[in-house]
Amino acid sequence: MREITYRQALNEALAEEMDRDPSVFLMGEDIAIYGGAYGVTAGLMQRFGEERVRDTAISEAAIIGAGLGAAITGLRPVVEIMYVDFMGICLEQVNNQVAKIRYMFGGKTRVPLVIRTEGGAGRTLGAHHSQSLEAWFLHIPGLKVVMPSTPADAKGLLKSAIREENPILFIEHKMLYNTKGPVPEGEYLVPIGRAEVKRPGRDVTIVAHSRMLLFALEAAERLAGEGIEAEVIDPRTLLPLDIETIAASVRRTHRAVLVEEGTRTGGTGAEIGLQIMEHCFDYLDAPIRRIAGADVPMPKSPVLEKLTIPDPDRIYREVRELLA
Amino acid sequence: MNPTAIPDRVRLSIYRTMLLIRRVEERLCALYPDQEIKCPIHLYIGQEAVAAGVCARLRKSDYLVSNHRSHGHYLAKGGGLREFFAELYGRRTGCSGGWGGSMHLADPELGLLGSSAIVAGGIPIAVGAALAARMEGRGRVAAVFFGDGAADEGVFYESLNFAALRKLPVVFVCENNFYATNSRQSARQPLDNIYRRGRIFGIPGFRLDGNDAAAVYAAAGRAVERARRGRGPTLLECRTYRWKQHVGYQEDWEGGCRPARELSCWKKRCPLERFGRRLRRSGLLTPARERALTAEIDRRIEAARAAARREPSADTIECDGGD
Ligand SMILES: Cc1ncc(C[n+]2csc(CCOP(=O)(O)OP(=O)(O)O)c2C)c(N)n1
Ligand SMILES: [Mg+2]
């Protein structure tokens, strides 16, 4: 199968959906002429015109609100927030308007809105450009939170997201844009709300999303060399969480390790861990273990940035420890 | 303002500040490819007159809030060179402990409360500092630097309203360099009128040539005085231009984001060159003196940089700031 980057995969998903459905349009800061801070929308303005690929002012709250207004009146906007760190500015719209409008008005409104953004550390951008804030959004019923880790998932999930009737927060990772992977040529979708076993194993279940999935797979490879078979699961959608797939795995392996890049307290691991306990308490042979970012704002120093987030070596060591 | 009406001492000091910023950033451009400085840098070259002119009106006890393009603001407020380089190198001795980086310079002792890499994030903070200054009642003022892009954000207007209502001692300094990353002002704002946007709240606003240090100094003087006397905020729109990429040490017109002609036009209006010419004309600056000044600044820069580079890397993520 051909291999393309995560960035290209996303670009293809946007182009294909725009081709398929004239109501799909894009807007965001620097996405049209410049092609996006990380180049995801490159070439789309040239191809689809300025009406459908729109640059906006530096006004995140208005971008989200306007996206919502267009979505409930029949369009399918895909809006971009350049960094997830800027979501604070538009959180009111996301939380109180985007996520609630359908339910609050008796289910009569459809909200086919996709909010694309990216997060994560790795480029020493400091505390305002390196966060992993997905856990914030798990607390917002009405929203779906999608975080692809591979090019194939990125494409298939974004296409599904654009066809959804409910608002989707689609969080990419800045360190994944240049990663390559096999992506089918033809049309395909990846369903929202479905986890995937990325590597089968019998000894321990590692749940990891976004860039941490890659780290978990690296650790699993090393563990395999020592006879430890880790099963690695990518939830792909964090809200709603496919706990069935995760729980089925834990019932077989009896151990769970949860990896996330975001800060530990109140993180995704807190939620996933408790759901595992609710579903498979009797099957657990060891306490569930969380591997997460340290509870600090992201320091800029490259040395410290590495210390702050999990890495493959730490995952490897902690799994060994758990199994010892 | 007739520049000769500015005391010689102040004129020289403004020039020195601009030269310092220019030389520091040119040094950064030369150093950056070595990849020892790992954080993104938003260079200030071309905009020096704004920071130098405004900060020449601020006292050490006055507050300043900066944005992602913070080097010039930090240096003009008197920030230490060694701590500056140490911060960019990610050293423990950096002005922000190696935790902040280029976009997060601060020195609370100098009233430099911080720099926000979230566009417009610093504007209400300056309003709060002005509120505290008002409550303290000792005549301190607060100033905040932000770009034309920040005028797109809602919090800009909320802050103007908040400050105007209570007549807070704050000076809003918009550095309009006509671009936010790669988007032209005209692609983001229907009218080119940032300086007038405080008027609906009763805030006087002025548009100035931001490449004319004397003009900035004069307007900032009136705004700071007004604030100190309890008459309320002022909005200054300083029209200027950044010479380098939005982020990085190279120029960006090759990428097609800005026309080369625009840059060459603005280079002819170099703030340093213009102010220097005036000083030379009035005999304050002789070629020999200028050479000596540049050499002295370069020596200081190199000494600070070399010392900062030898300092220990930041090595803990725990904050020992005490409680
Ligand atoms: C809230 C927010 N939105 C977007 C960005 C991305 N961004 C960083 S700098 C910048 C441009 C800011 O332009 P301006 O305020 O004019 O300052 P300049 O860079 O021109 O000095 C943008 C959009 C950000 N940092 N914060
Ligand atoms: Mg600007």
Side-chain angles (χ1 to χ4, degrees):
Chain A
M1 202 186 293
R2 69 181 178 139
E3 299 225 330
I4 60 172
T5 63
Y6 186 89
R7 172 188 294 109
Q8 284 170 299
L10 290 163
N11 184 276
E12 278 188 10
L14 292 169
E16 287 177 18
E17 292 308 297
M18 291 180 80
D19 256 338
R20 203 181 69 90
D21 181 349
S23 67
V24 177
F25 78 100
L26 318 181
M27 59 182 177
E29 294 163 18
D30 262 328
I31 68 157
I33 297 173
Y34 188 64
Y38 287 99
V40 172
T41 50
L44 297 180
M45 184 198 77
Q46 290 75 2
R47 181 157 162 205
F48 295 100
E50 290 175 30
E51 279 283 301
R52 292 184 70 198
V53 184
R54 291 171 169 265
D55 277 327
T56 65
I58 321 299
S59 312
E60 290 77 10
I63 293 170
I64 298 293
L68 174 59
I72 61 177
T73 49
L75 296 180
R76 288 186 177 272
V78 180
V79 300
E80 178 178 310
I81 299 296
M82 198 187 277
Y83 285 76
V84 76
D85 312 68
F86 311 158
M87 289 294 292
I89 295 176
C90 47
L91 200 52
E92 192 288 307
Q93 287 292 321
V94 174
N95 177 45
N96 288 315
Q97 314 302 341
V98 169
K100 295 192 178 25
I101 208 164
R102 186 166 191 179
Y103 185 93
M104 195 165 68
F105 299 130
K108 291 184 192 135
T109 319
R110 292 180 309 114
V111 187
L113 172 68
V114 179
I115 302 167
R116 280 187 47 246
T117 185
E118 60 73 42
R123 298 189 66 232
T124 60
L125 299 180
H128 283 172
H129 288 79
S130 307
Q131 299 172 85
S132 295
L133 297 176
E134 56 272 23
W136 281 9
F137 301 94
L138 303 189
H139 213 60
I140 305 183
L143 204 60
K144 295 187 182 182
V145 181
V146 177
M147 287 188 83
S149 60
T150 66
D153 283 347
K155 180 170 178 184
L157 283 165
L158 184 53
K159 284 168 68 83
S160 296
I162 294 171
R163 297 183 194 185
E164 262 270 342
E165 302 299 348
N166 290 295
I168 308 277
L169 177 62
F170 193 92
I171 310 178
E172 299 153 18
H173 195 296
K174 57 176 69 62
M175 299 304 283
L176 292 180
Y177 287 124
N178 289 329
T179 58
K180 274 193 158 180
V183 174
E185 292 276 358
E187 166 82 18
Y188 72 96
L189 297 173
V190 173
I192 286 167
R194 229 67 65 77
E196 188 174 68
V197 176
K198 296 286 187 184
R199 179 189 174 108
R202 54 165 199 273
D203 298 324
V204 56
T205 300
I206 305 179
V207 183
H209 62 274
S210 194
R211 188 188 188 200
M212 290 299 127
L213 177 86
L214 273 49
F215 286 8
L217 287 172
E218 228 181 292
E221 190 64 37
R222 207 171 140 195
L223 288 161
E226 299 173 14
I228 297 171
E229 291 301 334
E231 178 144 297
V232 181
I233 299 183
D234 182 355
R236 302 193 293 192
T237 301
L238 290 171
L239 186 68
L241 183 70
D242 177 5
I243 189 63
E244 295 312 328
T245 299
I246 296 169
S249 169
V250 175
R251 283 186 205 110
R252 276 186 281 105
T253 65
H254 309 289
R255 288 180 178 81
V257 173
L258 315 176
V259 191
E260 70 187 295
E261 185 176 326
T263 56
R264 183 180 179 88
T265 304
T268 56
E271 178 57 35
I272 299 175
L274 205 69
Q275 288 198 32
I276 291 174
M277 210 196 66
E278 287 165 347
H279 283 78
C280 16
F281 181 72
D282 292 334
Y283 294 84
L284 286 170
D285 284 349
I288 297 166
R289 185 171 287 229
R290 281 193 278 176
I291 304 176
D295 280 328
V296 297
M298 188 60 65
K300 168 261 156 184
S301 139
V303 184
L304 299 188
E305 187 183 55
K306 282 213 184 68
L307 278 180
T308 304
I309 62 171
D311 61 15
D313 186 55
R314 192 170 137 206
I315 301 170
Y316 163 82
R317 280 186 286 109
E318 295 220 16
V319 171
R320 293 269 330 230
E321 229 177 85
L322 186 73
L323 292 175
Chain B
M1 181 178 201
N2 176 1
T4 50
I6 309 176
D8 287 353
R9 185 184 45 79
V10 176
R11 278 199 287 165
L12 268 176
S13 139
I14 290 175
Y15 184 74
R16 192 188 264 275
T17 302
M18 288 201 286
L19 187 61
L20 173 70
I21 298 171
R22 177 68 59 93
R23 299 301 284 182
V24 163
E25 295 216 310
E26 282 175 343
R27 191 78 184 99
L28 284 179
C29 292
L31 290 169
Y32 206 74
D34 297 346
Q35 299 203 353
E36 282 191 42
I37 290 169
K38 292 233 169 65
C39 52
I41 48 173
H42 298 76
L43 296 179
Y44 197 64
I45 296 180
Q47 304 186 197
E48 295 93 340
V50 183
V54 170
C55 291
R57 291 295 194 176
L58 297 178
R59 300 176 185 157
K60 188 174 166 192
S61 56
D62 289 333
Y63 298 118
L64 182 64
V65 182
S66 166
N67 64 358
H68 56 284
R69 203 170 297 287
S70 61
H71 304 173
H73 309 152
Y74 170 90
L75 293 170
K77 190 71 170 69
L81 264 182
R82 184 162 162 173
E83 293 84 347
F84 170 80
F85 278 107
E87 189 58 36
L88 267 62
Y89 278 128
R91 304 298 192 241
R92 197 194 303 161
T93 47
C95 62
S96 304
W99 288 330
S102 156
M103 294 192 279
H104 301 293
L105 304 178
D107 189 340
E109 305 242 307
L110 294 170
L112 185 57
L113 300 177
S115 14
S116 169
I118 302 297
V119 167
I123 302 175
I125 301 175
V127 172
L131 177 64
R134 154 64 50 80
M135 290 165 79
E136 179 195 49
R138 293 158 105 188
R140 285 198 224 219
V141 309
V144 54
F145 291 112
F146 54 93
D148 49 295
D152 294 0
E153 292 282 7
V155 74
F156 171 53
Y157 302 91
E158 296 180 23
S159 302
L160 291 173
N161 183 60
F162 193 120
L165 183 67
R166 299 290 170 210
K167 289 200 164 40
L168 297 180
V170 52
V171 183
F172 298 100
V173 186
C174 178
E175 300 187 74
N176 184 359
N177 59 13
F178 304 99
Y179 287 87
T181 49
N182 301 292
S183 293
R184 296 186 67 85
Q185 185 192 4
S186 58
R188 295 175 288 110
Q189 302 176 1
L191 299 175
D192 174 13
N193 66 351
I194 291 174
Y195 73 107
R196 297 178 63 172
R197 297 188 194 180
R199 290 197 188 164
I200 48 172
F201 306 107
I203 297 178
F206 303 94
R207 167 178 284 174
L208 353 157
D209 178 348
N211 281 21
D212 178 351
V216 175
Y217 179 75
R222 287 188 293 271
V224 167
E225 255 336 280
R226 189 177 133 82
R228 264 200 230 295
R229 288 215 218 99
R231 310 263 281 279
T234 303
L235 170 60
L236 303 178
E237 176 190 347
C238 304
R239 292 159 82 86
T240 182
Y241 202 76
R242 74 171 147 74
W243 288 12
K244 300 291 180 179
Q245 301 164 285
H246 167 68
V247 51
Y249 66 95
Q250 288 162 320
E251 292 184 349
D252 63 356
W253 51 269
E254 300 97 332
C257 287
R258 302 192 299 178
R261 201 162 27 84
E262 205 175 79
L263 177 62
S264 59
C265 234
W266 279 92
K267 280 194 171 172
K268 290 199 194 95
R269 307 176 56 204
C270 170
L272 196 58
E273 198 39 55
R274 275 167 77 188
F275 202 63
R277 212 179 304 132
R278 283 165 164 178
L279 297 196
R280 281 191 289 274
R281 225 181 284 138
S282 59
L284 260 184
L285 205 60
T286 60
R289 189 140 183 215
E290 196 172 349
R291 271 196 306 278
L293 192 60
T294 308
E296 178 222 308
I297 283 176
D298 286 351
R299 253 197 317 278
R300 277 179 52 211
I301 292 172
E302 196 38 38
R305 187 203 65 81
R309 189 168 169 274
R310 283 193 303 270
E311 276 156 2
S313 249
D315 58 0
T316 172
I317 55 175
E318 301 303 324
C319 185
D320 60 0
D323 41 19

